[in-house]
Amino acid sequence: MLFTAEHEEPRRTLQRFIAAEINPHVDEWEAAGEFPAHELFRKLGDLGFLGLNKPVEFGGAGLDYSYALMMAEEMGAVRSGSVPAAIGVQTDMATPALARYGSDALRREFLTPAISGEAVACVGVSEPGAGSDVAEIRTRARSDGDDYIIDGGKMWITNGAQADWMCLIANTGDGPKHRNKSLICVPMKTKGVTVARKLDKLGLRASDTAQIFFEGVRVPKRNRIGEEGKGFVYQMTQFQEERLWVAAACLKAHERTIAETIAYARERKAFGRSILDNQTVHFKLAELQTEIELLRSLIYRAAEAMIAGADMTQLATMAKLKAGKLGRELPSACLQYWGGMGFMNETPVSRAFRDHRIDSIAGGAEEVMLTILCKGMGTLPGMGQ
């Protein structure tokens, strides 16, 4: 069994925190286009939620991945996708490779403050011409003695305007594109790092997302995570946790959207009866609830495989693929049953519609997920011939 009685106390603590410290403020943060990441992360760090499965010696709780998954699932109770997205970057996107492959000195410098919430992290992968296709990134970190000098840029960087450091992937050599990249911890206040602009997004309105340029940015080579040239492999491993997080964080959010739609459709009348009494409506909501449970089972199975040390690439990819599809279908279907009110920004279903559209893009586009699955099945053109 994935979750036990040991998970219940931290689960209840997190639920109370979300109810008291996050949900009362999300509308204000959405309107402002930003939330106070340092303040909120420090509170989460004080409660131990930013390092549940990170090493004890660097401030983490040293627990297995099931606790991180529990947290991701509870994040779905936040009444905005923006804050969970930013927290997920901190816990499951910018720090897993550092925790797993970084030197002790590097982990003390960057991982420890990320776990305590003293520092906000971001992850620098996507570029204007290379998002899901990580191998095609152009940002370069050339060797200069004991330093790297970084030139290039990153795009769509969550936490980018508030971050203290970035887990950056850059080309550090001229070899094959899958073996010429490295992950580097880059302090955002380093000379030559420019937050060019905050991006105006369709959804996740309270999550600051930035375009960032690097011009002659000098960082010591000791800031490299693990071996030079292994960055692509490290990032692909890091992606597995990111994809599971994206999938898990949508579960309770979708359940809330269905519950709110049921309540509204029951009261809304058309042609002499409630909208909910139409078979097409209550049947569709039952089908969508079933899809959530199927996704939950797939996520739990992938997590169990991870904890057991098995390769869960296919399962995590399937979960991400399914979460992306559900993120488009479920809010759209529910919005329809709200009628004109569903088109109003004041209605929660409209926020869900905007926020969950990213689920089939972030962390690898849906088409990339399908390509990974086909590789695993041996069905891509050119394979097995």
Side-chain angles (χ1 to χ4, degrees):
M1 188 174 179
L2 186 61
F3 297 134
T4 68
E6 300 291 324
H7 294 80
E8 292 314 302
E9 184 54 37
R11 187 190 298 275
R12 286 192 293 269
T13 299
L14 187 55
Q15 289 170 345
R16 289 192 296 266
F17 182 86
I18 290 170
E21 301 287 348
I22 300 180
N23 279 341
H25 308 291
V26 292
D27 290 342
E28 173 191 344
W29 294 340
E30 288 276 318
E34 187 173 285
F35 75 96
H38 285 89
E39 177 184 337
L40 188 66
F41 284 16
R42 187 58 190 263
K43 291 177 180 178
L44 281 166
D46 288 344
L47 292 173
F49 282 114
L50 298 182
L52 289 171
N53 61 329
K54 299 298 193 296
V56 173
E57 56 268 39
F58 302 102
L63 300 169
D64 68 41
Y65 180 74
S66 65
Y67 289 84
L69 183 69
M70 176 276 294
M71 179 180 177
E73 188 169 349
E74 289 303 324
M75 282 291 112
V78 176
R79 302 186 69 84
S80 159
S82 304
V83 179
I87 293 169
V89 167
Q90 184 92 348
T91 59
D92 287 66
M93 302 176 200
T95 53
L98 173 61
R100 190 174 290 118
Y101 305 112
S103 68
D104 286 355
L106 196 63
R107 288 187 286 183
R108 279 191 296 270
E109 184 175 355
F110 292 99
L111 182 61
T112 296
I115 290 172
S116 70
E118 294 175 45
V120 173
C122 63
V123 59
V125 177
S126 294
E127 301 178 3
S132 294
D133 189 359
V134 178
E136 295 300 326
I137 65 161
R138 293 288 179 263
T139 298
R140 176 166 293 278
R142 62 180 176 85
S143 177
D144 185 42
D146 292 331
D147 298 333
Y148 288 120
I149 299 178
I150 304 167
D151 291 286
K154 296 294 177 179
M155 188 69 166
W156 308 297
I157 306 303
T158 300
N159 298 347
Q162 298 189 72
D164 297 291
W165 65 272
M166 173 186 285
C167 176
L168 171 79
I169 188 166
N171 296 309
T172 50
D174 296 319
K177 59 186 179 181
H178 296 102
R179 296 196 294 273
N180 72 337
K181 295 168 175 56
S182 301
L183 291 182
I184 304 167
C185 293
V186 180
M188 295 294 284
K189 293 190 183 301
T190 306
K191 182 180 178 181
V193 178
T194 302
V195 177
R197 60 187 175 117
K198 284 176 61 178
L199 302 172
D200 187 12
K201 308 186 298 296
L202 170 69
L204 303 182
R205 302 289 296 176
S207 167
D208 65 283
T209 304
Q211 181 177 20
I212 297 170
F213 294 129
F214 304 91
E215 185 176 358
V217 177
R218 182 180 292 272
V219 296
K221 287 182 178 177
R222 66 174 181 273
N223 283 22
R224 186 184 67 236
I225 297 172
E227 298 179 42
E228 188 171 84
K230 290 288 186 69
F232 183 86
V233 174
Y234 295 160
Q235 184 56 44
M236 292 304 104
T237 303
Q238 191 162 250
F239 267 149
Q240 303 312 316
E241 292 184 40
E242 176 174 349
R243 288 163 184 166
L244 270 188
W245 190 94
V246 169
C250 78
L251 296 172
K252 289 198 170 187
H254 288 332
E255 287 176 334
R256 183 177 66 254
T257 297
I258 288 178
E260 290 171 343
T261 300
I262 289 171
Y264 184 79
R266 179 173 280 126
E267 296 300 320
R268 182 178 170 227
K269 300 293 194 292
F271 304 105
R273 61 176 178 172
S274 79
I275 297 298
L276 189 63
D277 286 346
N278 289 280
Q279 187 182 82
T280 187
V281 176
H282 55 252
F283 272 18
K284 183 62 176 179
L285 293 173
E287 182 181 351
L288 292 171
Q289 187 69 51
T290 302
E291 294 291 332
I292 294 172
E293 286 304 323
L294 288 169
L295 177 57
R296 178 177 275 115
S297 296
L298 179 55
I299 293 166
Y300 286 5
R301 187 178 164 203
E304 287 170 346
M306 177 192 285
I307 293 166
D311 182 6
M312 54 81 175
T313 300
Q314 292 293 91
L315 291 174
T317 303
M318 289 174 179
K320 171 64 169 60
L321 173 68
K322 187 62 180 176
K325 286 181 174 291
L326 199 58
R328 295 199 307 275
E329 179 186 4
L330 188 149
S332 179
C334 288
L335 188 151
Q336 186 72 18
Y337 305 144
W338 288 70
M341 283 304 296
F343 205 63
M344 301 297 104
N345 278 337
E346 67 193 72
T347 310
V349 71
S350 68
R351 182 180 294 171
F353 180 86
R354 297 190 305 273
D355 284 355
H356 288 286
R357 185 59 183 86
I358 194 65
D359 292 349
S360 60
I361 300 172
E366 184 174 304
E367 293 76 13
V368 174
M369 299 302 98
L370 288 165
T371 300
I372 293 170
L373 293 174
C374 290
K375 283 181 180 177
M377 296 168 65
T379 57
L380 274 187
M383 295 187 69
Q385 296 180 5

